[in-house]
Amino acid sequence: MDSHGDNEQRVVWTVVGTDIGPLLLAATRDGLVNVVFHATDAARDRALDRLAARLGTEPVEAPGSPLLTEAIHQVRAYFAGRRRDFDLPLDWSLISGFNRQVLRELASGVPYGSVVGYGDLAGRVGRPGAAQAVGLAMGANPLPVVVPCHRVVESDGGIGGFGGGVDTKRRLLALEGVLPEPLF
């Protein structure tokens, strides 16, 4: 129960400017629940509508909320090169099953500055041969950057796809020293 004596889920959000464009950060009492790339007006509004539908409550813009303070701080520090790991409570309620298992392994087992192949990650969760399913899990990641799906690449050395766009993936890998800094 909250201080008003009810059990209603509360979702707060803000948009943070980064080197890869605006990121929408949304949180519940349980932790960071969603990170959305390219959070300009239209993309932001679609993301907020999806969150409202999935979580059953209207997200409230609250950049000063204590539920967001540490996430904002850590995201800014990451893009400034002062943070390599995120240490935030995460609300995994937007993802379940195999996808959640894969994303938890990714978050805990693939450190800053390294990459893993889709097939290798499938093997780590006991499903060798499920590389395509891992790719689908990456595409369903509700917490990109914080749960680093940009670190998952093709086994043949290709960069692979990315929900935020391949240029965004390249920039994140360059920030972490995996790729040379893009020339743009």
Side-chain angles (χ1 to χ4, degrees):
M1 286 194 199
D2 68 15
S3 60
H4 298 103
D6 59 52
N7 290 315
E8 184 178 322
Q9 172 75 286
R10 181 163 186 235
V11 181
V12 294
W13 66 273
T14 192
V15 174
V16 176
T18 72
D19 293 347
I20 59 169
L23 291 179
L24 180 141
L25 305 179
T28 67
R29 287 184 207 115
D30 293 331
L32 191 65
V33 71
N34 204 198
V35 176
V36 178
F37 291 112
H38 315 299
T40 56
D41 295 345
R44 180 198 65 219
D45 292 346
R46 282 190 306 275
L48 293 172
D49 288 345
R50 280 192 311 269
L51 272 175
R54 295 282 308 274
L55 298 176
T57 188
E58 197 66 35
V60 175
E61 184 174 15
S65 170
L67 298 175
L68 290 167
T69 302
E70 188 59 24
I72 293 166
H73 172 74
Q74 289 188 28
V75 164
R76 286 183 174 150
Y78 171 81
F79 282 101
R82 296 188 316 267
R83 175 171 279 281
R84 292 174 160 235
D85 301 304
F86 291 95
D87 183 20
L88 297 167
L90 301 177
D91 178 340
W92 293 95
S93 63
L94 295 178
I95 198 137
S96 62
F98 176 77
N99 291 356
R100 183 186 291 190
Q101 181 184 12
V102 169
L103 291 171
R104 283 181 180 253
E105 173 60 30
L106 174 64
S108 65
V110 183
Y112 182 98
S114 65
V115 294
V116 65
Y118 293 95
D120 292 336
L121 191 53
R124 288 185 187 193
V125 296
R127 296 268 311 268
Q132 190 172 15
V134 167
L136 294 173
M138 295 306 103
N141 182 3
L143 296 162
V145 179
V146 175
V147 176
C149 52
H150 60 277
R151 296 180 190 155
V152 183
V153 297
E154 296 173 348
S155 60
D156 66 2
I159 196 166
F162 194 61
V166 175
D167 287 341
T168 299
K169 186 172 187 173
R170 283 189 181 109
R171 285 177 178 249
L172 290 167
L173 291 172
L175 173 69
E176 295 188 10
V178 175
L179 292 176
E181 187 66 39
L183 298 176
F184 53 92

mmCIF file of all heavy atoms in Angstrom, residues 95-119:
data_model
loop_
_atom_site.group_PDB
_atom_site.id
_atom_site.type_symbol
_atom_site.label_atom_id
_atom_site.label_comp_id
_atom_site.label_asym_id
_atom_site.label_seq_id
_atom_site.Cartn_x
_atom_site.Cartn_y
_atom_site.Cartn_z
ATOM 1 N N ILE A 95 8.085 -8.162 -19.155
ATOM 2 C CA ILE A 95 8.678 -9.281 -19.893
ATOM 3 C C ILE A 95 8.667 -10.528 -19.017
ATOM 4 O O ILE A 95 8.782 -10.431 -17.802
ATOM 5 C CB ILE A 95 10.099 -8.916 -20.379
ATOM 6 C CG1 ILE A 95 10.549 -9.843 -21.466
ATOM 7 C CG2 ILE A 95 11.079 -8.826 -19.257
ATOM 8 C CD1 ILE A 95 11.227 -9.137 -22.590
ATOM 9 N N SER A 96 8.509 -11.675 -19.638
ATOM 10 C CA SER A 96 8.435 -12.908 -18.854
ATOM 11 C C SER A 96 9.041 -14.074 -19.620
ATOM 12 O O SER A 96 9.500 -13.924 -20.746
ATOM 13 C CB SER A 96 6.974 -13.212 -18.496
ATOM 14 O OG SER A 96 6.232 -13.415 -19.684
ATOM 15 N N GLY A 97 9.039 -15.230 -18.989
ATOM 16 C CA GLY A 97 9.449 -16.474 -19.621
ATOM 17 C C GLY A 97 10.875 -16.464 -20.132
ATOM 18 O O GLY A 97 11.793 -15.938 -19.487
ATOM 19 N N PHE A 98 11.061 -17.067 -21.314
ATOM 20 C CA PHE A 98 12.372 -17.182 -21.938
ATOM 21 C C PHE A 98 13.015 -15.806 -22.132
ATOM 22 O O PHE A 98 14.212 -15.628 -21.871
ATOM 23 C CB PHE A 98 12.248 -17.913 -23.286
ATOM 24 C CG PHE A 98 13.534 -18.002 -24.048
ATOM 25 C CD1 PHE A 98 14.513 -18.918 -23.688
ATOM 26 C CD2 PHE A 98 13.763 -17.173 -25.138
ATOM 27 C CE1 PHE A 98 15.700 -19.009 -24.398
ATOM 28 C CE2 PHE A 98 14.953 -17.259 -25.849
ATOM 29 C CZ PHE A 98 15.921 -18.178 -25.481
ATOM 30 N N ASN A 99 12.224 -14.831 -22.582
ATOM 31 C CA ASN A 99 12.775 -13.497 -22.824
ATOM 32 C C ASN A 99 13.363 -12.903 -21.551
ATOM 33 O O ASN A 99 14.455 -12.337 -21.569
ATOM 34 C CB ASN A 99 11.706 -12.570 -23.396
ATOM 35 C CG ASN A 99 11.302 -12.936 -24.803
ATOM 36 O OD1 ASN A 99 11.863 -13.841 -25.419
ATOM 37 N ND2 ASN A 99 10.308 -12.241 -25.329
ATOM 38 N N ARG A 100 12.661 -13.051 -20.438
ATOM 39 C CA ARG A 100 13.171 -12.528 -19.170
ATOM 40 C C ARG A 100 14.442 -13.267 -18.767
ATOM 41 O O ARG A 100 15.411 -12.659 -18.306
ATOM 42 C CB ARG A 100 12.126 -12.652 -18.064
ATOM 43 C CG ARG A 100 12.618 -12.046 -16.750
ATOM 44 C CD ARG A 100 11.681 -12.281 -15.599
ATOM 45 N NE ARG A 100 10.455 -11.540 -15.741
ATOM 46 C CZ ARG A 100 9.543 -11.415 -14.772
ATOM 47 N NH1 ARG A 100 9.745 -11.999 -13.598
ATOM 48 N NH2 ARG A 100 8.443 -10.740 -14.969
ATOM 49 N N GLN A 101 14.455 -14.574 -18.936
ATOM 50 C CA GLN A 101 15.631 -15.384 -18.579
ATOM 51 C C GLN A 101 16.850 -14.916 -19.383
ATOM 52 O O GLN A 101 17.938 -14.730 -18.827
ATOM 53 C CB GLN A 101 15.328 -16.857 -18.853
ATOM 54 C CG GLN A 101 16.450 -17.788 -18.492
ATOM 55 C CD GLN A 101 16.139 -19.238 -18.863
ATOM 56 O OE1 GLN A 101 15.189 -19.534 -19.585
ATOM 57 N NE2 GLN A 101 16.972 -20.141 -18.376
ATOM 58 N N VAL A 102 16.676 -14.717 -20.674
ATOM 59 C CA VAL A 102 17.773 -14.276 -21.536
ATOM 60 C C VAL A 102 18.249 -12.881 -21.137
ATOM 61 O O VAL A 102 19.459 -12.628 -21.028
ATOM 62 C CB VAL A 102 17.341 -14.298 -23.020
ATOM 63 C CG1 VAL A 102 18.352 -13.594 -23.907
ATOM 64 C CG2 VAL A 102 17.129 -15.725 -23.486
ATOM 65 N N LEU A 103 17.317 -11.972 -20.892
ATOM 66 C CA LEU A 103 17.697 -10.600 -20.549
ATOM 67 C C LEU A 103 18.386 -10.524 -19.181
ATOM 68 O O LEU A 103 19.320 -9.747 -19.000
ATOM 69 C CB LEU A 103 16.485 -9.680 -20.609
ATOM 70 C CG LEU A 103 15.956 -9.458 -22.032
ATOM 71 C CD1 LEU A 103 14.635 -8.714 -21.991
ATOM 72 C CD2 LEU A 103 16.977 -8.725 -22.896
ATOM 73 N N ARG A 104 17.959 -11.341 -18.250
ATOM 74 C CA ARG A 104 18.643 -11.362 -16.947
ATOM 75 C C ARG A 104 20.072 -11.884 -17.092
ATOM 76 O O ARG A 104 20.998 -11.371 -16.464
ATOM 77 C CB ARG A 104 17.863 -12.201 -15.944
ATOM 78 C CG ARG A 104 16.647 -11.491 -15.391
ATOM 79 C CD ARG A 104 15.939 -12.386 -14.373
ATOM 80 N NE ARG A 104 14.781 -11.745 -13.839
ATOM 81 C CZ ARG A 104 14.691 -11.252 -12.600
ATOM 82 N NH1 ARG A 104 15.704 -11.341 -11.782
ATOM 83 N NH2 ARG A 104 13.584 -10.688 -12.198
ATOM 84 N N GLU A 105 20.252 -12.903 -17.915
ATOM 85 C CA GLU A 105 21.603 -13.421 -18.168
ATOM 86 C C GLU A 105 22.457 -12.359 -18.844
ATOM 87 O O GLU A 105 23.623 -12.155 -18.499
ATOM 88 C CB GLU A 105 21.552 -14.690 -19.020
ATOM 89 C CG GLU A 105 22.912 -15.190 -19.476
ATOM 90 C CD GLU A 105 23.870 -15.534 -18.350
ATOM 91 O OE1 GLU A 105 23.425 -15.936 -17.256
ATOM 92 O OE2 GLU A 105 25.100 -15.397 -18.554
ATOM 93 N N LEU A 106 21.892 -11.668 -19.799
ATOM 94 C CA LEU A 106 22.605 -10.595 -20.483
ATOM 95 C C LEU A 106 23.032 -9.523 -19.488
ATOM 96 O O LEU A 106 24.193 -9.095 -19.479
ATOM 97 C CB LEU A 106 21.710 -9.996 -21.576
ATOM 98 C CG LEU A 106 22.243 -8.765 -22.290
ATOM 99 C CD1 LEU A 106 23.507 -9.099 -23.074
ATOM 100 C CD2 LEU A 106 21.170 -8.194 -23.205
ATOM 101 N N ALA A 107 22.109 -9.097 -18.638
ATOM 102 C CA ALA A 107 22.397 -8.026 -17.682
ATOM 103 C C ALA A 107 23.493 -8.415 -16.697
ATOM 104 O O ALA A 107 24.332 -7.589 -16.340
ATOM 105 C CB ALA A 107 21.122 -7.644 -16.930
ATOM 106 N N SER A 108 23.511 -9.662 -16.277
ATOM 107 C CA SER A 108 24.483 -10.074 -15.263
ATOM 108 C C SER A 108 25.758 -10.674 -15.847
ATOM 109 O O SER A 108 26.790 -10.677 -15.182
ATOM 110 C CB SER A 108 23.853 -11.085 -14.307
ATOM 111 O OG SER A 108 23.536 -12.277 -14.998
ATOM 112 N N GLY A 109 25.706 -11.165 -17.089
ATOM 113 C CA GLY A 109 26.823 -11.939 -17.595
ATOM 114 C C GLY A 109 27.600 -11.387 -18.767
ATOM 115 O O GLY A 109 28.548 -12.018 -19.226
ATOM 116 N N VAL A 110 27.215 -10.210 -19.274
ATOM 117 C CA VAL A 110 27.941 -9.628 -20.411
ATOM 118 C C VAL A 110 28.351 -8.209 -20.020
ATOM 119 O O VAL A 110 27.586 -7.256 -20.145
ATOM 120 C CB VAL A 110 27.078 -9.625 -21.699
ATOM 121 C CG1 VAL A 110 27.890 -9.085 -22.873
ATOM 122 C CG2 VAL A 110 26.563 -11.035 -22.006
ATOM 123 N N PRO A 111 29.580 -8.072 -19.516
ATOM 124 C CA PRO A 111 30.009 -6.785 -18.970
ATOM 125 C C PRO A 111 30.294 -5.729 -20.035
ATOM 126 O O PRO A 111 30.467 -6.018 -21.221
ATOM 127 C CB PRO A 111 31.283 -7.141 -18.202
ATOM 128 C CG PRO A 111 31.782 -8.386 -18.831
ATOM 129 C CD PRO A 111 30.582 -9.115 -19.358
ATOM 130 N N TYR A 112 30.370 -4.517 -19.548
ATOM 131 C CA TYR A 112 30.734 -3.339 -20.340
ATOM 132 C C TYR A 112 31.982 -3.646 -21.176
ATOM 133 O O TYR A 112 32.920 -4.272 -20.693
ATOM 134 C CB TYR A 112 31.030 -2.201 -19.372
ATOM 135 C CG TYR A 112 31.385 -0.881 -19.988
ATOM 136 C CD1 TYR A 112 30.432 0.101 -20.133
ATOM 137 C CD2 TYR A 112 32.689 -0.592 -20.378
ATOM 138 C CE1 TYR A 112 30.747 1.351 -20.661
ATOM 139 C CE2 TYR A 112 33.020 0.643 -20.908
ATOM 140 C CZ TYR A 112 32.041 1.610 -21.054
ATOM 141 O OH TYR A 112 32.372 2.827 -21.583
ATOM 142 N N GLY A 113 31.959 -3.222 -22.422
ATOM 143 C CA GLY A 113 33.132 -3.382 -23.270
ATOM 144 C C GLY A 113 33.283 -4.761 -23.876
ATOM 145 O O GLY A 113 34.315 -5.072 -24.464
ATOM 146 N N SER A 114 32.280 -5.615 -23.741
ATOM 147 C CA SER A 114 32.347 -6.945 -24.337
ATOM 148 C C SER A 114 31.071 -7.204 -25.124
ATOM 149 O O SER A 114 30.091 -6.476 -24.996
ATOM 150 C CB SER A 114 32.536 -8.019 -23.258
ATOM 151 O OG SER A 114 31.410 -8.076 -22.421
ATOM 152 N N VAL A 115 31.114 -8.232 -25.948
ATOM 153 C CA VAL A 115 29.942 -8.630 -26.724
ATOM 154 C C VAL A 115 29.764 -10.137 -26.610
ATOM 155 O O VAL A 115 30.676 -10.856 -26.197
ATOM 156 C CB VAL A 115 30.062 -8.225 -28.217
ATOM 157 C CG1 VAL A 115 30.056 -6.709 -28.377
ATOM 158 C CG2 VAL A 115 31.278 -8.836 -28.869
ATOM 159 N N VAL A 116 28.577 -10.597 -26.984
ATOM 160 C CA VAL A 116 28.253 -12.017 -26.981
ATOM 161 C C VAL A 116 27.425 -12.292 -28.232
ATOM 162 O O VAL A 116 26.670 -11.429 -28.681
ATOM 163 C CB VAL A 116 27.487 -12.401 -25.688
ATOM 164 C CG1 VAL A 116 26.132 -11.718 -25.607
ATOM 165 C CG2 VAL A 116 27.348 -13.899 -25.562
ATOM 166 N N GLY A 117 27.579 -13.477 -28.788
ATOM 167 C CA GLY A 117 26.775 -13.857 -29.939
ATOM 168 C C GLY A 117 25.392 -14.315 -29.509
ATOM 169 O O GLY A 117 25.194 -14.792 -28.385
ATOM 170 N N TYR A 118 24.429 -14.201 -30.414
ATOM 171 C CA TYR A 118 23.063 -14.645 -30.130
ATOM 172 C C TYR A 118 23.065 -16.126 -29.710
ATOM 173 O O TYR A 118 22.428 -16.501 -28.738
ATOM 174 C CB TYR A 118 22.164 -14.463 -31.358
ATOM 175 C CG TYR A 118 21.918 -13.017 -31.727
ATOM 176 C CD1 TYR A 118 22.699 -12.379 -32.692
ATOM 177 C CD2 TYR A 118 20.894 -12.293 -31.138
ATOM 178 C CE1 TYR A 118 22.467 -11.058 -33.047
ATOM 179 C CE2 TYR A 118 20.655 -10.967 -31.484
ATOM 180 C CZ TYR A 118 21.450 -10.348 -32.448
ATOM 181 O OH TYR A 118 21.216 -9.043 -32.789
ATOM 182 N N GLY A 119 23.781 -16.950 -30.469
ATOM 183 C CA GLY A 119 23.841 -18.379 -30.162
ATOM 184 C C GLY A 119 24.530 -18.666 -28.847
ATOM 185 O O GLY A 119 24.107 -19.553 -28.094
#
